[in-house]
Amino acid sequence: MDYFLTDSQKIIKRLAKKISDEVISKVAGKYDKEGIFPRDILDLLAYTELTGVYIPKEYGGFGGGVLEMCLVVEELSRNCAGIAVSYAATALGAYPIMLYGTENQKKKYLPKIAKGEAIAAFALTEADAGSDVSSIKTVAEKDGDFYILNGNKHWITNGGEADIYVVFAVTDKSKGPRGISAFIVEKGYEGFYCGKKEDKMGIRASSTTELIFENCKVPKENLLGREGTGFIIAMKTFDRTRPGVAAMAIGIAQGAYEHALRYAKERIQFGQPLTSFQAIQHMLADMYINIEAARALLYSTCRMIDSGAKDYTKESSACKVFASDVAMKITIDAVQIMGGNGYVKDYPVEKMMRDAKVTQIFEGANQIQRNIIASEIVKEL
Amino acid sequence: MNILVCVKQIVDPDKIEYNSTTKTIKRSSQHLMNNPADLNALEFALRLKDIFPDSRVYTLSMGSLECKEKVKELIELGVDEAILLSDKRLAGSDASATSYALSCAIETLERFDLILCGDHSLDGETSIVPPQIAEYLGICHIASVVDIKPKDKDTLEIVKKVENILAKFEVKLPMLLSVKKDSNFVRFPKLSFMIRALSYEPKVLSLDDLRDIDVKRIGLEGSKTAVDDFEKEKMESISCKIYEQGSISEIECIAEVILKFI
């Protein structure tokens, strides 16, 4: 389908596809098996200037928007979502600074992220605060020119690898969600440690770790926005980055579909290729329909956000839910079409099936997304 | 440092077709690609520019206007200026006529400190264009180069490979070097270069733009060689046999297969 991308968007997609097909496809299996963080691929993305596609020109980026970021994530995910998420998680860490940072904060951090000299991360989730964001326990107490952070964060993508972390902590316990604040924490700050690395089902090339704050001293100028605006910062950031999860899911689905289609054309059973059997034809047709539908919803949402719309919470959630459910279904079907070969690690679809699962879970589980969408549509009545 | 790289737009070897009347290769724009060894030569040029950022890297290609799109891909890699020598009178030029035309174009253009070429093109396989250009220009030439490093702006340390021998040279510029295919990893394009390539128009030269060219020495008429006939090589069909591990007799079978190739 022709999505009428601009010339520069087509270039971004072509460049990301080239990297994905010529480099990522060759290392995806090894990085997944051995849990290798894709530092070399991120360096290549930096060299090719794809690290800055979504960052404004005045801060050293290309000046694109959410759609440009999604085009990169989608193409990288066609071959390895684990590698793609290491790129996407930097965007998740960069957006709060782009949206709520002071001029000094933007000038200090965004050019480094745009040039790929710094990797970013977003640290909100805790062991007892996943979907229930407002119950985070990490605290930040003001002490002169510093905030002192104490607490633990869990399941933080790019944990240990990132140079810049946007960390959420409670500054006023009595105010509930309005008592949460966001801080920029740099790797190497006193009292900031990286904890256990998770042994995950999928996206194994990415680093997911615990973060530990023990009397971590954060300069007061690293407060993002005002005290108490952390919850809003997190939610507004997610509105812009959930399309990134949708893009990852669509990339995974597209990759699985391409492998299954090629396999079905080549695999001969009962003297005919699998594609001659209607049972398989319908599965492939459904894959195509769902991928295009998910992509159309994603690109429309991105264009809505990039054109300056004020409220796009339900659209952002909808594309994330739809695309991730599509990715899960399609990767399961791809394994089914490929049978025994789909189930073994010689072919990449079993990895894609494992990778797809997380898109239904992170950046807000799909159940929470449906709550958000329902709340928005009921409110609009 | 002014560096010129000669880059040929060839037909993808997997899709090559011959015109049986003219005995030449059919050049359809949809199957064109930049000759791989020439891209290895270009990579060395760009590495020199990385070290000496005030250097300028030019490319020179010869072919129909359909080559423009492939020439623009060179801009995506970081080339400063791409030149296409295109003239219907050049059609059918053999390696000798091509070398002559290219050397006339080079003499018309700026003065270059270094000229780089791939050591052969996948569609022609003559390997004689680089030494002939050097001969026409009256500069030294070294073939089969696999590494180029600068000692200073006028001196290069180069490595050439012949069979399994690596020979090291220190050479003074100007110089023409022809580079072996796969001697380096060709870089990826950069987004900003790709954006530049979007609106970039390669500089197109016709024969009328070249100084002192003798048109009798180019094209089909001016060529010293002519192809008599084409014949597609008959490839022996390869069959695959799977041997189970462990049995002596099967190992003997494998040894027999290997012995056939020794």
Side-chain angles (χ1 to χ4, degrees):
Chain A
M1 194 177 286
D2 190 341
Y3 288 98
F4 299 101
L5 298 175
T6 63
D7 283 344
S8 60
Q9 287 164 349
K10 282 178 190 164
I11 282 176
I12 289 169
K13 194 173 167 69
R14 175 157 68 88
L15 183 53
K17 182 178 190 305
K18 184 174 167 70
I19 293 170
S20 186
D21 290 342
E22 293 179 20
V23 184
I24 295 178
S25 67
K26 293 181 174 66
V27 299
K30 180 182 165 71
Y31 285 21
D32 175 72
K33 190 176 175 189
E34 297 174 22
I36 298 169
F37 185 76
R39 180 74 58 174
D40 53 348
I41 308 286
L42 295 178
D43 286 346
L44 179 57
L45 294 171
Y47 171 79
T48 55
E49 301 171 340
L50 288 177
T51 40
V53 292
Y54 55 90
I55 291 174
K57 281 185 178 164
E58 57 265 41
Y59 304 110
F62 177 74
V66 175
L67 181 52
E68 279 77 2
M69 183 262 289
C70 285
L71 292 172
V72 178
V73 173
E74 183 186 339
E75 283 303 328
L76 304 185
S77 300
R78 266 179 53 254
N79 283 299
C80 184
I83 291 173
V85 78
S86 306
Y87 170 89
T90 289
L92 180 59
Y95 265 112
I97 302 174
M98 282 198 280
L99 294 172
Y100 293 94
T102 62
E103 195 52 30
N104 281 344
Q105 288 168 341
K106 289 179 186 176
K107 277 184 183 161
K108 184 175 179 185
Y109 296 108
L110 295 180
K112 286 183 187 169
I113 295 172
K115 288 189 175 66
E117 291 164 4
I119 297 172
F122 183 92
L124 174 63
T125 306
E126 297 183 3
D128 297 322
S131 296
D132 180 12
V133 172
S134 59
S135 62
I136 62 168
K137 291 192 177 67
T138 298
V139 291
E141 285 177 279
K142 201 162 183 193
D143 181 10
D145 289 339
F146 293 90
Y147 283 91
I148 309 297
L149 267 62
N150 278 290
N152 288 14
K153 295 289 174 183
H154 278 245
W155 302 301
I156 306 306
T157 310
N158 283 350
E161 301 289 346
D163 308 280
I164 301 160
Y165 298 77
V166 172
V167 180
F168 294 83
V170 177
T171 43
D172 188 342
K173 207 176 171 182
S174 66
K175 290 186 177 168
R178 290 174 194 277
I180 296 171
S181 304
F183 302 89
I184 302 169
V185 178
E186 293 180 31
K187 189 181 202 170
Y189 274 6
E190 192 185 326
F192 173 35
Y193 312 101
C194 177
K196 180 189 151 218
K197 185 177 175 184
E198 301 296 343
D199 187 8
K200 307 187 293 288
M201 171 197 278
I203 55 166
R204 293 177 57 81
S206 66
S207 171
T208 309
T209 70
E210 184 185 8
L211 300 179
I212 301 157
F213 300 90
E214 282 178 3
N215 294 319
C216 172
K217 283 174 80 176
V218 178
K220 68 176 185 193
E221 60 268 24
N222 282 23
L223 173 71
L224 256 181
R226 287 174 287 107
E227 265 192 36
T229 58
F231 186 79
I232 294 290
I233 291 174
M235 294 305 120
K236 291 292 178 193
T237 298
F238 283 146
D239 283 351
R240 289 205 166 223
T241 56
R242 279 181 184 131
V245 179
M248 190 177 145
I250 292 165
I252 298 170
Q254 179 73 34
Y257 160 71
E258 287 171 12
H259 281 287
L261 180 61
R262 203 162 37 239
Y263 182 89
K265 270 183 90 170
E266 288 167 4
R267 171 80 165 170
I268 307 292
Q269 290 292 278
F270 307 104
Q272 301 169 74
L274 289 189
T275 45
S276 66
F277 299 102
Q278 198 176 50
I280 303 294
Q281 289 171 356
H282 284 189
M283 286 171 86
L284 291 167
D286 282 341
M287 285 176 165
Y288 169 79
I289 294 164
N290 279 298
I291 289 171
E292 292 298 356
R295 189 177 283 130
L297 180 56
L298 169 66
Y299 289 7
S300 299
T301 303
C302 290
R303 284 180 171 134
M304 183 182 172
I305 298 170
D306 292 337
S307 63
K310 279 192 176 159
D311 189 10
Y312 37 82
T313 301
K314 69 174 184 303
E315 290 81 2
S316 174
S317 293
C319 70
K320 190 265 187 192
V321 169
F322 187 68
S324 57
D325 286 349
V326 160
M328 200 65 249
K329 170 85 169 76
I330 284 178
T331 52
I332 288 173
D333 285 351
V335 169
Q336 187 68 25
I337 288 171
M338 294 175 67
N341 280 323
Y343 196 68
V344 295
K345 289 179 187 288
D346 299 2
Y347 288 83
V349 291
E350 69 81 30
K351 170 191 179 298
M352 290 169 169
M353 186 177 138
R354 288 187 280 109
D355 288 348
K357 187 62 209 167
V358 80
T359 63
Q360 293 179 307
I361 298 171
F362 67 5
E363 284 203 47
N366 282 6
Q367 288 71 20
I368 279 291
Q369 301 308 317
R370 288 185 166 93
N371 285 359
I372 292 169
I373 295 163
S375 145
E376 291 282 319
I377 56 179
V378 169
K379 205 163 63 185
E380 284 168 10
L381 260 183
Chain B
M1 196 185 285
N2 268 355
I3 309 168
L4 178 79
V5 188
C6 296
V7 182
K8 185 180 183 185
Q9 285 69 50
I10 62 166
V11 180
D12 185 337
D14 293 336
K15 293 167 182 130
I16 214 157
E17 281 181 49
Y18 296 98
N19 182 328
S20 53
T21 317
T22 60
K23 312 287 185 197
T24 52
I25 295 166
K26 282 187 191 171
R27 294 188 183 275
S28 147
S29 62
Q30 64 202 107
H31 299 316
L32 285 179
M33 61 185 276
N34 290 310
N35 183 48
D38 301 349
L39 293 179
N40 293 119
L42 176 59
E43 174 60 31
F44 280 128
L46 295 169
R47 286 181 189 182
L48 288 170
K49 188 179 163 73
D50 291 341
I51 298 166
F52 304 117
D54 57 341
S55 299
R56 285 185 68 78
V57 175
Y58 300 78
T59 59
L60 174 62
S61 303
M62 184 175 122
S64 68
L65 293 176
E66 289 180 329
C67 296
K68 267 190 182 179
E69 282 311 304
K70 288 292 144 187
V71 167
K72 285 171 88 162
E73 285 182 12
L74 308 172
I75 297 295
E76 294 184 344
L77 296 173
V79 165
D80 294 296
E81 198 172 333
I83 301 137
L84 175 64
L85 176 60
S86 188
D87 196 304
K88 285 196 170 135
R89 288 172 283 178
L90 288 163
S93 293
D94 70 351
S96 170
T98 300
S99 314
Y100 173 66
L102 288 173
S103 61
C104 289
I106 294 169
E107 281 186 325
T108 305
L109 295 164
E110 310 201 17
R111 185 191 164 277
F112 297 103
D113 304 293
L114 177 64
I115 299 170
L116 294 168
C117 303
D119 69 348
H120 72 286
S121 64
L122 286 188
D123 60 351
E125 294 279 2
T126 66
S127 303
I128 56 170
V129 170
Q132 282 184 337
I133 295 175
E135 195 63 28
Y136 281 122
L137 296 176
I139 57 173
C140 287
H141 164 246
I142 294 179
S144 306
V145 172
V146 292
D147 198 16
I148 301 173
K149 285 197 176 72
K151 191 170 180 197
D152 53 54
K153 274 199 163 184
D154 302 315
T155 319
L156 299 177
E157 291 173 335
I158 64 155
V159 179
K160 74 173 272 175
K161 188 177 181 191
V162 183
E163 296 293 334
N164 57 349
I165 305 281
L166 293 174
K168 292 181 183 172
F169 295 81
E170 194 174 291
V171 296
K172 283 274 177 203
L173 299 177
M175 188 80 184
L176 189 148
L177 303 172
S178 52
V179 169
K180 265 180 125 55
K181 183 172 167 282
D182 298 329
S183 52
N184 55 30
F185 181 82
V186 180
R187 64 190 56 198
F188 275 83
K190 268 188 187 185
L191 190 50
S192 53
F193 295 151
M194 292 174 87
I195 295 294
R196 178 175 175 241
L198 260 184
S199 55
Y200 183 85
E201 269 302 311
K203 183 177 177 179
V204 178
L205 294 179
S206 80
L207 292 179
D208 299 330
D209 297 316
L210 306 191
R211 282 198 305 258
D212 307 326
I213 187 161
D214 178 1
V215 290
K216 290 188 195 117
R217 294 172 66 185
I218 49 105
L220 211 51
E221 297 299 315
S223 293
K224 291 177 177 161
T225 57
V227 177
D228 258 357
D229 203 4
F230 292 110
E231 190 185 343
K232 211 163 190 178
E233 191 185 9
K234 288 187 183 74
M235 301 292 282
E236 208 176 304
S237 67
I238 299 164
S239 60
C240 176
K241 193 165 181 182
I242 298 170
Y243 294 96
E244 293 293 327
Q245 198 183 352
S247 149
I248 292 292
S249 63
E250 283 147 5
I251 289 170
E252 280 169 354
C253 288
I254 294 167
E256 206 173 293
V257 173
I258 293 168
L259 278 171
K260 272 190 192 172
F261 291 97
I262 296 175

